[in-house]
């Protein structure tokens, strides 16, 4: 019985220690907000990819998996990103943001950014088991993925969104 109590006590201590070592969702969303805001305000990356409607920067390791009108499916290993664009909307447009907001009743994160005639945003919805739906965008451009690392993916996605130029 005493061994069981000691073992149970060790398990409880281990759970608390592991919980203290992992970042909380609150910490993750703050870090993601800072990273996305910084990228949003920065000079866009030089474009290195294009289709008939847009030019954009594609970071190393990401490749085009498929294209259809107004959508580009991007892959980075097992991670998939959907790049949606509406070439009729300018960088200050809120149309794509507002229509995306209507897809969910409540978002766990809803951050917006404004600077120099640009409107940007980051939306996060907790799914299950440390998985999140992540959406970032500027004007008529948005990227969507599912992730367990909000900050890393949000920053990379905003780099792409920030670089998009309509032809």
């Amino acid at each position: 019985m005493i061994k069981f109590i000691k073992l149970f006590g060790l398990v409880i201590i281990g759970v608390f220690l592991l919980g203290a070592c992992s970042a909380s969702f609150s910490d993750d969303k703050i870090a993601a907000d800072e990273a996305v805001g910084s990228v949003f305000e920065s000079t866009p990356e030089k474009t290195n990819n294009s289709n008939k409607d847009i030019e954009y920067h594609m970071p190393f390791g990401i490749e085009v998996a498929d294209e259809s009108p107004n959508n580009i499916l991007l892959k980075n290993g097992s991670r998939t990103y959907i790049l949606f664009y509406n070439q009729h909307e300018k960088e200050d447009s809120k149309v794509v943001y507002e229509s995306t907001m209507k897809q969910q009743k409540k978002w766990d994160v809803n951050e917006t950014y404004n600077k120099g005639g640009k409107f940007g945003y980051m939306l996060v919805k907790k799914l299950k088991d440390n998985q999140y739906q992540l959406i970032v965008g500027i004007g008529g451009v948005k990227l969507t993925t599912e992730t367990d690392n909000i900050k890393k993916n949000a920053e990379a996605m905003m780099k792409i969104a920030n670089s998009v130029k309509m032809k």
Side-chain angles (χ1 to χ4, degrees):
M1 183 69 171
I2 293 176
K3 286 184 180 183
F4 175 75
I5 292 172
K6 285 182 182 179
L7 180 62
F8 182 74
L10 286 173
V11 168
I12 295 297
I13 290 170
V15 167
F16 282 116
L17 288 175
L18 286 174
C21 293
S22 64
S24 70
F25 176 65
S26 179
D27 293 341
D28 287 347
K29 71 181 182 181
I30 290 168
D33 179 34
E34 290 172 357
V36 168
S38 177
V39 172
F40 175 79
E41 293 184 3
S42 70
T43 303
E45 299 279 339
K46 184 178 176 185
T47 61
N48 61 4
N49 211 334
S50 67
N51 69 11
K52 69 180 184 96
D53 298 316
I54 64 171
E55 295 179 342
Y56 57 99
H57 175 79
M58 189 145 53
F60 177 77
I62 298 179
E63 57 189 43
V64 174
D66 193 21
E67 285 192 48
S68 62
N70 301 92
N71 287 289
I72 303 172
L73 191 63
L74 304 173
K75 296 282 276 183
N76 184 3
S78 63
R79 173 92 44 235
T80 301
Y81 303 94
I82 301 169
L83 169 57
F84 168 82
Y85 60 92
N86 181 336
Q87 65 271 30
H88 305 292
E89 298 299 326
K90 305 270 188 239
E91 287 185 325
D92 64 346
S93 174
K94 295 182 180 178
V95 170
V96 174
Y97 167 74
E98 289 169 353
S99 66
T100 303
M101 286 293 297
K102 292 177 184 175
Q103 293 173 6
Q104 299 280 340
K105 288 185 179 185
K106 184 177 183 312
W107 292 91
D108 296 304
V109 175
N110 178 0
E111 297 292 339
T112 59
Y113 313 91
N114 289 286
K115 183 176 182 183
K118 288 193 319 186
F119 173 76
Y121 57 93
M122 176 179 68
L123 301 169
V124 179
K125 179 71 176 171
K126 187 170 173 77
L127 300 173
K128 60 180 175 156
D129 300 329
N130 205 29
Q131 287 291 312
Y132 304 91
Q133 178 185 19
L134 171 63
I135 300 172
V136 300
I138 297 176
V141 175
K142 79 173 178 179
L143 283 103
T144 306
T145 194
E146 287 186 9
T147 184
D148 60 355
N149 190 331
I150 299 168
K151 179 189 178 291
K152 177 183 169 190
N153 285 279
E155 184 174 17
M157 291 162 64
M158 185 52 87
K159 284 182 181 179
I160 296 169
N162 196 31
S163 74
V164 173
K165 292 179 174 69
M166 303 297 173
K167 289 184 175 178

